[in-house]
Amino acid sequence: MTAGLEGADLTVRFEGEDGPFTVFEGLDIHVDPGEFLTVMGPSGCGKTTVLNALAGLVPLERGTVRYDGEAVEPGSFSYGYVFQEPRLLDWRTVAENLAFALRGAGVPEPERRPRIEEWLERVGLGDEADSYPRELSGGMRQRVGVARALAVDPEVLFMDEPFSSLDDVTGRGLRRDLLDLWAETGKEVLFVTHDLREAVTLSDRVLFMGEDGAFFDGAEIPHGRPRDFDDPALGETERRLGERFFAELG
Amino acid sequence: MTGETGTARGGRSTALDRARRAAPRPLSVASVLAVLAAWQLLSLAFPPYRFPGLVRLAENVVVVLTGTGEFDPLVQYGVTLGRVAVGFLLSFALAAAWGFAMGVSPAAEDYLGVPLFTLLTVPSVVWAFLGVLWFGLTDHLVPVFVVVLVVFPYLAVNLWEGVEAVDGRLVEMARAFDATTVETWRHVYLPQLLPTLFATTRLGLAIAWKLSLIAEVFGAPTGVGVVVKYHFENFDTGLVIAWAVPVMLLMFGVEWLLRRAERRATRWRPAAAVGREVAPE
Amino acid sequence: MRRALRVGLTLLAFLVAWEAGALALGPESLPSPRLVAARLAEVTATGGPRDRSALYHLGRSLARVAVVSVLGLALSTALGLAMGVDDRAERVVAVWLPFWMTVPTLVVILVVMVLLDFSEPAVVVGVTFVATPFATANVWEGARAVDPALLEMARAFDVGRWGVVREVYLPATLPQVVGSFRYLLGMVWKVVVLAETFGLQAGLGAMFRFWFNQGDVTAILAYLSLFVVVMVGLQYALGAASDRLFAWRG
């Protein structure tokens, strides 16, 4: 596949206190057009760094990134990022938080307000445009983060464990809404998580990452869409994959 | 005066809160009276021109402010005020450049940190002495020189810590959404730095005043410090104290204004965020 | 390692700049490092006015600093803890703490020196008066920050007032107290020197005043070097000691 998002020979090294530290080396990854790909791994294995490297937030020591078949600078394609913590500006209203991202994306002034209103409506926060983040619950703040990432109309969506800090009930609601929103847009999604259940429920394909920063396994998720969160077949897939995943990790 | 905003609902003070804050508690009043009584008692142990009782002190202050003494208050306070203002502004500018560099770059932190901490150790009188020996008894150069050299390290440390405290994750978020440098400064850095900027300003003005007086004793022909030295040499400590009172009142006024401005500017913050910091020397 | 290199580089640059400045401005204005070092050796070995060596004056100043620091620490810890523990104590002290901090140092020193006849007690009383409020504020902040959950636990186990102070407040505020001591030390040194410049015959401040009256820049710089080295050394040693002491806190 030459379209979609591709990373080849990705290598990231940090300068630690005791010398250089390799997060991952020679990694290859590709997200097919319209695919929901999840990278799964234990905490600290470097999966967030894969996202950040592709997004251009962390420098690549080696490797190339291609988007839509063409070699590009990491992060130079249009993407939206949903972080693990909402990362909202507490001193700005919800609408202003979205406007901040829209300005960065170069959206012209007259278009901003309509987009903000549209996306806040879509995530169920139509009435909160003038509220401050402190006045919202954790789940609502995360919704703002999702709205922000989608409002810039990105080609690719990066998501770094966005629901890991939410309780079960809220998280479930958000996951369902995410799938609905994503179904409308048809973008590539690169999702990171340590929760196998979440990975199986949401994705088209899962890649397993080990503690050494290498992909040691992967699998297609053989379920159709829309996904039924209570489908026992999903649980079966999770069990099957779990054996492979945890076996490797020991 | 303790710096707690103590509000009932996150950040926005109700009328009840403001009333609570304004009403003096009986214990505080008793404490003030006790201290004043102690002062009066202490003054009995010394002749009135050395350590004045409260009445004599008030009379002295009036004499000072109405210019019926040997010095014109407008000239003396004016000159000192001018030096404080210029010294403070120069210090702040220098400290901002220095502190921001240290906060943003680990290399700068190593290079610039050592001179900073070394400068913090030098006593102000030594700068005053060196200043006079180098520049002579010019009008304003020596006091401003002393103020800048002593004040800017304190401010630089403050600003450095403020920049380090900025949430790096929000800066990363801004990068992820392609915000320009101007946008990032305006929406991410500055709102977080606002409390530090205010605190640093209060600190800077407080130290600058005290330093100016010390510098003027040795290094200037005019100014409140010179007046104080004159009275000191005549052992007229009653007048020394009297000249200090308006300075303290002015400092309180300025600080009150700054705290008000800060509260207005940081209304989005939770309570107890308007803090107190320490102003040495 | 890298940091040590950078620090060394800065020191080197400083010495080079000093030497260059000395060459440019001449020994009257800016004596070279060598001249100053030589002078320092001279005043340390053979002595200055009345044959008292620099080390004698250093000793006198050090003694005053020690007395004031201990006194100030005791006072500020007692006051600060009282304020943190007891609401009434807080109200009594907090009302005039800001006044105490705002009194100009110069005025305090001059007045106390005159009232107590330029004696040793005069220096101690004056400098302690100047430094104590700042250290008190520090300790107070620390006491206020004690975890209320711990206090509640102590109440649940019927621990009395003094027990709570001893077992909860004291250990919790120890870093703050030690920090206050280091801060105090830095401040007290400079104010002691200030006091000594007004009419005392012994101490580093007295020497600064003497050589200023002689117009001798080299001597001033020599004493300044001694002062700075001792102070920086002290601060460094205290820093290392307190780091070791509180290493377990992480």
Side-chain angles (χ1 to χ4, degrees), chain B residues 2 4 27-28 31 35 51 107 110-111 114 120-121 123 125 129 134 154 210 217 228 232 252 279-281, chain C residues 3 6-7 10 29 88 91-92 94 96 99 101 105-106 110 114-115 134 144 183 187 190 194 212 227:
Chain B
T2 61
E4 291 173 290
L27 206 53
S28 308
S31 176
V35 171
F51 194 81
D110 287 337
Y111 286 127
V114 174
L120 276 170
T121 67
V125 279
F129 288 153
W134 282 336
Y154 283 104
K210 297 181 179 174
V217 168
V228 162
F232 163 70
F252 275 116
E281 282 204 67
Chain C
R3 152 165 284 188
R6 286 177 174 158
V7 169
T10 317
S29 296
R88 286 169 310 169
R91 223 164 292 149
V92 162
W96 37 269
F99 287 94
M101 284 200 240
T105 310
L106 178 72
L110 292 183
V114 167
L115 293 181
F134 299 103
R144 278 204 298 192
Y183 178 82
M187 185 186 180
K190 292 189 277 185
L194 176 69
F212 169 63
F227 182 85

Side-chain angles (χ1 to χ4, degrees), chain A residues 161-183:
Chain A
E161 302 197 51
F163 310 130
S164 63
S165 57
L166 302 174
D167 61 86
D168 283 346
V169 176
T170 317
R172 190 179 152 104
L174 255 73
R175 288 188 191 97
R176 213 193 296 253
D177 292 339
L178 173 67
L179 286 184
D180 290 339
L181 286 168
W182 172 67

Side-chain angles (χ1 to χ4, degrees), chain B residues 20 52-53 57 67 129 136 140 161 164 172 178 185 225 232 240 257 260 264 272:
Chain B
R20 249 176 52 214
L57 177 62
F129 288 153
H140 303 297
E161 289 178 345
E164 285 208 320
E172 189 176 61
D178 286 324
W185 269 93
F232 163 70
V240 169
L257 279 169
R260 257 191 71 176
R264 294 271 228 47

